[in-house]
Amino acid sequence: MKCLILAAGYATRLYPLTENFPKPLLTVGEKTILDWLLDDIDASGEVDEYIVISNHKFAHHFEEWAKTKPYKITVVDDGTSTNETRLGAVCDIEFTIEKLQLDDDDMLVIAGDNVLDFSLTKFISYCKEKNTSCVMRYYEPSEKKLLKCGVLTVDENDLVTNMTEKSPIPATHWCCPPFYYYTKEDAKRVKDAIAEGCGTDAPGSFIAWLCKRSLVHAMEMPGNRYDIGNLESYETVKREYKGITKC
């Protein structure tokens, strides 16, 4: 399995911290955000290569970081240098699939800037059991927050029957965090999705397209996700985060 880490954003709401430094390499406690994620995932023993998708401005930071890690990491530079010229998450995924010729691997695709208090190894086990593409879901009570999320409709067997990104009329309270598993067959369809007009900015847009054409299951998230969106939330997470405490 390959693990694709989405890290090509510019995190403009965290300026000046991220004006010349990538958000995933900011520290929380004794580790960077990215180290918390990858050190946990690697415990599953399922991933043989981690691929960090960066923009040109920050690629060298990830390359230096990768030299310090004990597992195989490839850094892909998507060639963009400004927030205004960014490719968007789905196009970054397709760019990487094409560049590295990833045509025969299942893929775990994650946002590289999220902090979790639970292990992603449980999600990996769930995906293997279902043998389909998979996502996670959590209940979001806030109507205001729902407007900014990918929202899932799920049946009694965890099957995703519909997904919308940032809908003005959310169908449910099930939100989809930016952690996805593509079977190798479905990973080959990203190019088709883009050609058919799939949204490309939000990473969940591919799942919204895919769930109408392939089986996608949604595991209920077993813990909490801390989204560092601005300087205030970063300071809060640094102060309160206790590490991965839920298996």
Side-chain angles (χ1 to χ4, degrees):
M1 183 194 304
K2 307 300 184 193
C3 179
L4 274 60
I5 299 110
L6 303 173
Y10 292 86
T12 56
R13 291 183 296 163
L14 275 167
Y15 279 12
L17 278 182
T18 54
E19 192 164 4
N20 294 295
F21 193 76
K23 179 179 174 183
L25 294 183
L26 294 176
T27 56
V28 174
E30 73 274 19
K31 294 184 180 184
T32 69
I33 296 170
L34 202 48
D35 282 321
W36 281 111
L37 290 167
L38 269 60
D39 287 350
D40 170 52
I41 292 168
D42 206 58
S44 72
E46 295 287 348
V47 175
D48 57 28
E49 182 179 7
Y50 297 89
I51 301 163
V52 179
I53 309 169
S54 172
N55 56 57
H56 182 66
K57 184 177 181 181
F58 294 147
H60 68 284
H61 289 289
F62 290 111
E63 288 164 354
E64 288 302 311
W65 164 84
K67 294 175 184 177
T68 70
K69 303 308 295 179
Y71 29 76
K72 183 179 180 181
I73 299 175
T74 301
V75 177
V76 172
D77 179 351
D78 75 359
T80 71
S81 296
T82 66
N83 189 55
E84 291 71 29
T85 59
R86 69 187 186 278
L87 299 183
V90 178
C91 286
D92 267 324
I93 292 167
E94 173 57 17
F95 176 84
T96 301
I97 290 172
E98 290 289 324
K99 183 178 179 66
L100 300 183
Q101 298 183 331
L102 304 176
D103 57 1
D104 197 32
D105 289 285
D106 298 330
M107 295 181 190
L108 179 66
V109 179
I110 67 170
D113 59 357
N114 281 234
V115 177
L116 308 175
D117 69 359
F118 62 92
S119 175
L120 280 169
T121 59
K122 184 173 182 179
F123 178 57
I124 293 171
S125 296
Y126 176 91
C127 299
K128 291 292 185 179
E129 178 185 337
K130 291 297 184 183
N131 199 30
T132 67
S133 292
C134 294
V135 297
M136 282 194 287
R137 59 188 165 105
Y138 65 93
Y139 187 85
E140 175 52 68
S142 169
E143 297 281 353
K144 184 177 181 180
K145 289 182 179 178
L146 284 172
L147 300 176
K148 301 178 181 180
C149 298
V151 174
L152 302 170
T153 302
V154 182
D155 72 11
E156 65 276 10
N157 297 312
D158 285 356
L159 190 68
V160 178
T161 57
N162 194 40
M163 178 175 173
T164 57
E165 276 287 351
K166 301 179 181 180
S167 170
I169 310 175
T172 74
H173 283 263
W174 288 118
C175 280
C176 179
F179 300 91
Y180 318 95
Y181 174 82
Y182 307 159
T183 63
K184 62 183 178 181
E185 293 80 12
D186 286 341
K188 296 175 183 177
R189 307 179 75 175
V190 177
K191 186 174 184 178
D192 293 337
I194 294 171
E196 291 184 18
C198 164
T200 56
D201 192 39
S205 296
F206 174 60
I207 296 295
W209 179 90
L210 183 66
C211 71
K212 297 178 176 66
R213 297 161 176 83
S214 185
L215 295 179
V216 179
H217 287 90
M219 183 187 89
E220 190 165 355
M221 200 167 71
N224 299 302
R225 161 182 167 254
Y226 303 90
D227 185 13
I228 300 171
N230 54 35
L231 291 170
E232 182 181 2
S233 61
Y234 177 46
E235 291 301 322
T236 299
V237 170
K238 284 201 298 180
R239 184 172 60 251
E240 298 181 357
Y241 185 63
K242 305 300 182 186
I244 296 173
T245 58
K246 300 177 182 179
C247 296

